[in-house]
Amino acid sequence: MDDIVDLVTRSLADDTAAEFTERVDEQAMQLRRAIEAGEFDNEAFSVGLEIELYAINAEPDPPEPDEEADDEGVAEEDLDDDLSGSGGAAWSGSLDAPAEPEDGAGASLEPNGDGPSLEPDEGDPLEPAGGESLDQNAGETAAESEDSFGPGEGPSLDIDPDSPLAEDEPETPEKEEAEPAVESSVEEESDEPYMDPEDWEGRLTRLPDVVFEGEANKELGLHNAEVNTEPNSFDQTGMEVQTTAVEMQTKQARQQASKHNCELVLDAMWTIPPEEGSEQYLSAHETNDGVVLADNMRQAPRYVALDNEALDHAGGSIDFDVPGYSGSFPTILFESLATSIQPHLQVPDAEAFTEYYNAAIRTLGPLLALSVNSPFLPADMYGDTDGEWLCANTHHELRIAAFEQSVNTSENPKVRVPRDLDDTTDVVGRVVDDDQFAPFLREFLHDDERTAFEDEFWEFDHKRGTYWRWLRCVVGGTPVDGASTEKSLRIEYRPLPTQPHAKDMIGLQALTVGLIRGLVVADHPAAELPWQEARRSFYSAAADGSDADLSWVTAGGERTADHDEIYDEIFQYARLGLAEQGVPEARIDEYLDPIEARYEAGMTPSDWKIDRVRQSLDAGDDLSSAIQSMQRDYIEASREHHSFDEWV
């Protein structure tokens, strides 16, 4: 603990900031030259996926002492391919370069979260309770660790595993090191007390460190886990490998958690509170030599430093304000309410990167509206809020507000919709210009020479890890056979919530990368939609989900707000993009049909949740009971089915 406090204190010192800034400037200059010289051009497109989950106390099956079947084999058979898990680090995007320098040029429509709005003249698409809009916190995308697609990253605080902030202090007692990882058996747990299923509550719970010896990677909260696929070439084989990886790694991670009385849930926001209550869990902390240490946050230098930096900017507490709830927290940990998935698309032609990036911005609203999955906070946070009012007024994607308001405490909001790129080298400049949070110097954590590519740009990569935008550029990463070297440029697509099944997440991955590729290959005029309209559509989707007021430019160059026209093109051009990459028609249908079916049914996971809560309220339940009942039904439905469209 003393080591962490010392590192955080050094990180926040003035002399560190000055040296860090000098190094970032120098490294950025080298990167710009390398991009202009064509060193970041590659052979082919690549794809990958990050998946975030949370843990609840497991609902145990009755003990079966006579069963002697191999535990690992049984687990594989019993787990559906929609269960959560984690994968190894995908792209080690040690050089993730943020995508836009939001210099505040032009009046943006970003909703305010808590901090002062940079664009006071704009309306607030998402108005939190009390009339404050999310525009204050709005900005460009949430941060993620880009070294390897997210190991050790959180929806908003991801840092690459190779970045300065990536090295966690030991958190597991020595005695746990002897615990088996995937090999641990049910028999080893047979002395655990059996809990009658009627007593199961599905409460949020902390994950023991031994769970992370398997496929799961650590995240911001002690209840969080992440699964990452290794990147593959964007073609038929690569997409099939991605599908298998998502299915198997989520199975394996869930299997590992189940051996320790935990269940990893594929969901975008937990709603059944831990035993001590949600606000207590998210607020618990201690102060050591002036450094705030959140009890339920991973005690990693990167997280602690970022927490203290954000708190300092906010004056010691951070406000959180959404329909039905208004409060403040002494730590950024309330960001861990949210879990998400992040598709990645590597673009091989550096010169064409701006075209792909700007087209992707226009897809944010429509794709978020299809995937919304977090309409409720934990049930105990609502107090005496009227249930019917809440169902009518809550945002369909509260993740957006939770992420933005938790870290948008500096003068220039760090989480927001990024602006268009004019030149590919802008991805470097925007990182340089971004507000500096908790800088580290490489020698704080490493005493060896800088020999590898990622070492050379270590400080830049560290700052890139705190450049949070809803669409972000990653500069550099793990080489992909037949596609790229470690010098690559990729789009990190950050606004999508975690879905109920692996099949849904694979479908959204295919829809996202296929659509971006299809729009560009067909020279579709989507990017002609004014940036302000793309941004407004995004926040409308977060607030209203499938009823969002969306804007789009059709293939014929006409502006439209008609959902049928918009989604006809969304699916048409996604299919085109996948076909362009050699994915067979039958496979394309397999990926996209479940997502298209939810549009045709007019039902998103968020709609389903709100409907379930309304049904419980109509039956006489209070709001807290209704939300918790809905959550248990969600978990049960995710076990019984293979994709969300089967629910409806």
Side-chain angles (χ1 to χ4, degrees):
M1 189 63 69
D2 289 342
D3 290 343
I4 294 177
V5 171
D6 178 62
L7 278 171
V8 171
T9 301
R10 295 172 69 188
S11 169
L12 303 180
D14 291 343
D15 56 347
T16 295
E19 178 63 23
F20 182 84
T21 298
E22 183 176 337
R23 295 185 190 183
V24 168
D25 288 345
E26 181 180 345
Q27 292 164 18
M29 185 180 301
Q30 296 178 49
L31 287 172
R32 289 190 189 95
R33 290 171 178 167
I35 291 172
E36 291 173 342
E39 295 179 24
F40 281 79
D41 290 339
N42 281 284
E43 298 178 28
F45 290 87
S46 297
V47 292
L49 185 66
E50 299 178 58
I51 302 168
E52 296 165 350
L53 316 93
Y54 65 79
I56 61 172
N57 62 317
E59 180 178 15
D61 294 324
E64 300 179 40
D66 295 331
E67 187 175 41
E68 297 182 358
D70 176 74
D71 180 52
E72 200 167 294
V74 171
E76 284 296 325
E77 294 172 10
D78 291 346
L79 295 175
D80 291 335
D81 59 4
D82 54 32
L83 299 178
S84 68
S86 75
W91 267 301
S92 102
S94 59
L95 302 178
D96 298 25
E100 295 80 18
E102 307 196 4
D103 49 8
S108 91
L109 300 176
E110 308 177 6
N112 297 319
D114 285 343
S117 169
L118 296 181
E119 299 152 325
D121 295 332
E122 299 297 343
D124 297 339
L126 296 182
E127 296 183 1
E132 294 184 14
S133 98
L134 297 179
D135 292 34
Q136 300 168 342
N137 295 330
E140 314 179 28
T141 153
E144 270 191 26
S145 79
E146 298 175 342
D147 308 332
S148 54
F149 262 8
E153 307 177 338
S156 55
L157 302 177
D158 12 30
I159 306 285
D160 304 61
D162 298 330
S163 83
L165 294 185
E167 298 191 3
D168 295 359
E169 289 294 309
E171 302 170 45
T172 307
E174 292 299 322
K175 62 180 181 181
E176 289 192 10
E177 294 180 3
E179 290 192 49
V182 177
E183 295 77 13
S184 63
S185 70
V186 170
E187 290 162 18
E188 292 170 347
E189 301 169 0
S190 60
D191 58 346
E192 292 291 344
Y194 170 65
M195 176 176 64
D196 190 298
E198 292 183 1
D199 296 328
W200 175 74
E201 295 182 287
R203 289 188 178 278
L204 187 78
T205 192
R206 301 160 181 82
L207 286 164
D209 278 6
V210 67
V211 170
F212 299 101
E213 294 176 11
E215 290 295 334
N217 297 301
K218 295 177 181 179
E219 260 291 351
L220 178 69
L222 296 182
H223 57 277
N224 290 137
E226 184 173 272
V227 173
N228 308 293
T229 65
E230 294 286 345
N232 300 106
S233 57
F234 183 16
D235 52 26
Q236 176 183 358
T237 301
M239 288 301 298
E240 290 180 351
V241 172
Q242 287 286 303
T243 298
T244 300
V246 171
E247 292 173 345
M248 294 308 300
Q249 290 175 194
T250 52
K251 278 185 180 181
Q252 292 167 5
R254 186 171 187 268
Q255 173 189 351
Q256 181 71 354
S258 70
K259 295 172 182 176
H260 300 279
N261 300 317
C262 301
E263 179 174 355
L264 285 170
V265 180
L266 286 172
D267 190 17
M269 184 167 287
W270 50 275
T271 59
I272 303 180
E275 288 290 345
E276 63 267 46
S278 300
E279 290 181 310
Q280 175 61 31
Y281 179 88
L282 295 170
S283 299
H285 69 284
E286 62 180 73
T287 302
N288 187 328
D289 288 341
V291 174
V292 173
L293 299 159
D295 291 358
N296 295 302
M297 181 185 293
R298 302 242 169 243
Q299 297 302 299
R302 63 179 177 275
Y303 293 145
V304 178
L306 291 169
D307 192 11
N308 280 266
E309 183 83 80
L311 285 170
D312 183 61
H313 284 292
S317 66
I318 303 174
D319 294 334
F320 183 39
D321 195 1
V322 294
Y325 179 81
S326 182
S328 62
F329 293 89
T331 168
I332 61 172
L333 189 60
F334 71 89
E335 186 270 339
S336 69
L337 286 165
T339 50
S340 63
I341 62 172
Q342 296 104 39
H344 287 232
L345 174 65
Q346 179 213 290
V347 178
D349 182 356
E351 187 175 353
F353 187 85
T354 57
E355 190 175 2
Y356 284 91
Y357 190 85
N358 295 343
I361 292 173
R362 276 68 188 174
T363 70
L364 293 173
L367 294 193
L368 180 61
L370 273 179
S371 59
V372 286
N373 192 23
S374 59
F376 297 108
L377 296 175
D380 62 338
M381 293 178 70
Y382 286 116
D384 59 359
T385 299
D386 179 76
E388 290 295 340
W389 178 90
L390 183 65
C391 287
N393 291 279
T394 189
H395 298 160
H396 281 254
E397 195 53 38
L398 290 171
R399 283 177 46 260
I400 304 303
F403 186 10
E404 292 189 348
Q405 295 186 36
S406 63
V407 294
N408 279 350
T409 61
S410 60
E411 181 178 355
N412 301 299
K414 294 176 72 68
V415 185
R416 43 185 165 164
V417 174
R419 288 192 172 275
D420 290 336
L421 289 174
D422 294 322
D423 187 271
T424 304
T425 56
D426 288 347
V427 301
V428 177
R430 292 184 177 187
V431 175
V432 174
D433 295 338
D434 197 44
D435 286 352
Q436 185 164 286
F437 263 39
F440 273 57
L441 303 179
R442 187 176 184 275
E443 57 267 28
F444 288 1
L445 301 174
H446 303 282
D447 57 9
D448 59 330
E449 295 295 323
R450 300 186 188 228
T451 56
F453 176 77
E454 62 269 20
D455 296 332
E456 185 178 358
F457 302 99
W458 197 92
E459 282 78 12
F460 177 88
D461 182 51
H462 171 69
K463 187 170 186 181
R464 181 271 314 152
T466 68
Y467 177 87
W468 301 307
R469 303 297 186 271
W470 291 117
L471 195 70
R472 190 166 64 172
C473 172
V474 180
V475 182
T478 300
V480 180
D481 289 344
S484 68
T485 66
E486 73 276 9
K487 294 183 179 181
S488 60
L489 298 173
R490 56 187 156 90
I491 293 171
E492 180 183 47
Y493 203 95
R494 301 191 53 79
L496 303 180
T498 300
Q499 300 294 295
H501 302 277
K503 192 171 184 179
D504 299 318
M505 295 186 294
I506 293 164
L508 279 176
Q509 177 191 30
L511 178 62
T512 302
V513 297
L515 177 59
I516 296 171
R517 176 68 174 126
L519 292 174
V520 175
V521 75
D523 197 24
H524 189 286
E528 293 179 7
L529 181 73
W531 177 85
Q532 289 84 352
E533 278 298 294
R535 180 186 174 283
R536 186 197 56 74
S537 292
F538 172 72
Y539 287 106
S540 180
D544 301 319
S546 56
D547 292 327
D549 180 11
L550 303 175
S551 292
W552 186 255
V553 171
T554 68
E558 300 293 326
R559 288 273 293 274
T560 184
D562 182 83
H563 280 208
D564 287 340
E565 285 188 285
I566 294 172
Y567 285 105
D568 279 350
E569 292 203 352
I570 291 290
F571 288 106
Q572 175 188 347
Y573 284 90
R575 283 184 160 84
L576 173 64
L578 291 166
E580 178 71 17
Q581 295 306 117
V583 181
E585 183 177 356
R587 246 340 160 199
I588 295 174
D589 290 341
E590 183 178 335
Y591 295 142
L592 300 186
D593 282 356
I595 309 301
E596 193 162 13
R598 68 169 66 173
Y599 172 71
E600 293 171 349
M603 181 68 69
T604 63
S606 177
D607 291 324
W608 183 92
K609 289 179 175 180
I610 293 173
D611 284 352
R612 281 302 175 108
V613 170
R614 281 194 171 118
Q615 290 174 26
S616 292
L617 292 171
D618 290 343
D621 289 344
D622 60 36
L623 178 60
S624 179
S625 298
I627 291 175
Q628 296 187 59
S629 177
M630 171 278 294
Q631 189 66 62
R632 296 186 191 102
D633 288 346
Y634 175 99
I635 294 168
E636 185 60 30
S638 70
R639 295 169 179 159
E640 294 178 351
H641 301 289
H642 293 84
S643 61
F644 175 72
D645 63 300
E646 295 179 5
W647 301 21
V648 297

